[in-house]
Amino acid sequence: MNKIWVRFLSLIFMLAGLWVIMNPQLAFAQVNTINYNNASLENRDFSYTDFVGGTFVAAEMRGTNFQGADLTNAILTKGVLLKANLEGANLTGALVDRVTLDNANLRNAIFTEATLTRSRFYDADITGADFSDALIDRYQVSLLCKRADGINPVTGISTRDSLGCR
C-alpha cells in the first residue's frame, strides 16, 4: 500500500513539474513592473506617465504631480499624497488603501472600481472625479458627498452619482 502512495505522489509531482515547464510565463516576474515601494518621491513630476500595475507601497509623495498619469491597477497602499496633483489621473482598479490624500487635487480623476479603504480625503478637490463602483469607507463617502460636484469629462458620470450621494 505504501508503494502505491509513493508512486502516486511521484506522478503528481512529475505532472506538476511538467506543467511549470510547459507554462514558463508563470515562473518569471513581470519585466515592466514599476516599483517605488518605500521611495521618497516628494515634489516629483510624473505627469502623463504610464504606471499601469505599478507599486507605490509606503511611498512619500507629498506634492507629487501625477496629472493625467495612468495608474490603472496600481498599488498605492500606506502612501502619503498630501497636496499631490492627480488631476485627470486614471486610477481604475487601483488599490489605494491607508493613503492620505489631504489637500490633493483629484479633479476629473477616475477611481472606477478602485479600493479606497481607510484613506483620507480631507480638503481634497474632487470636482468631476468618478468613484463608480469604488470601495470607500462610509464615513469618507459622507464627507465627500458634502463637496461632491461636477461631471467627469471622460466617463460622463457626475461625482455625486458615482459616490451614491443623496
Side-chain angles (χ1 to χ4, degrees), residues 52 76 80 102 141 145 166:
V52 173
L76 298 151
V80 178
D102 298 350
V141 170
C145 282
R166 296 177 189 175

Side-chain angles (χ1 to χ4, degrees), residues 31-39 41 51 53-57 59 75:
V31 175
N32 296 325
T33 300
I34 297 161
N35 183 336
Y36 283 113
N37 295 344
N38 299 304
L41 305 171
F51 288 119
T55 59
F56 297 84
V57 176
I75 299 172

Side-chain angles (χ1 to χ4, degrees), residues 51 53-59 61 66 69-82 84 86 89-102 104 106 109-121 124 126 130-131 133-137 140 144:
F51 288 119
T55 59
F56 297 84
V57 176
M61 299 173 278
F66 285 105
D70 190 352
L71 292 154
T72 302
N73 297 321
I75 299 172
L76 298 151
T77 59
K78 300 180 186 177
V80 178
L81 285 155
L82 290 167
L86 287 108
N90 186 354
L91 289 101
T92 299
L95 176 60
V96 187
D97 179 62
R98 293 174 279 173
V99 174
T100 304
L101 291 152
D102 298 350
L106 307 177
I110 301 171
F111 291 99
T112 304
E113 298 177 356
T115 301
L116 303 159
T117 50
R118 297 185 283 177
S119 292
R120 292 185 359 189
F121 301 89
I126 59 166
D130 184 353
F131 296 94
D133 300 317
L135 182 60
I136 310 170
D137 298 326
Q140 287 298 320
L144 291 169

Side-chain angles (χ1 to χ4, degrees), residues 1 11 17-18 61 82 86 88 107-108 112 140-141 154-155 164:
M1 181 96 164
L11 179 64
L18 284 172
M61 299 173 278
L82 290 167
L86 287 108
R107 291 178 76 83
N108 302 320
T112 304
Q140 287 298 320
V141 170
V154 175
T155 65

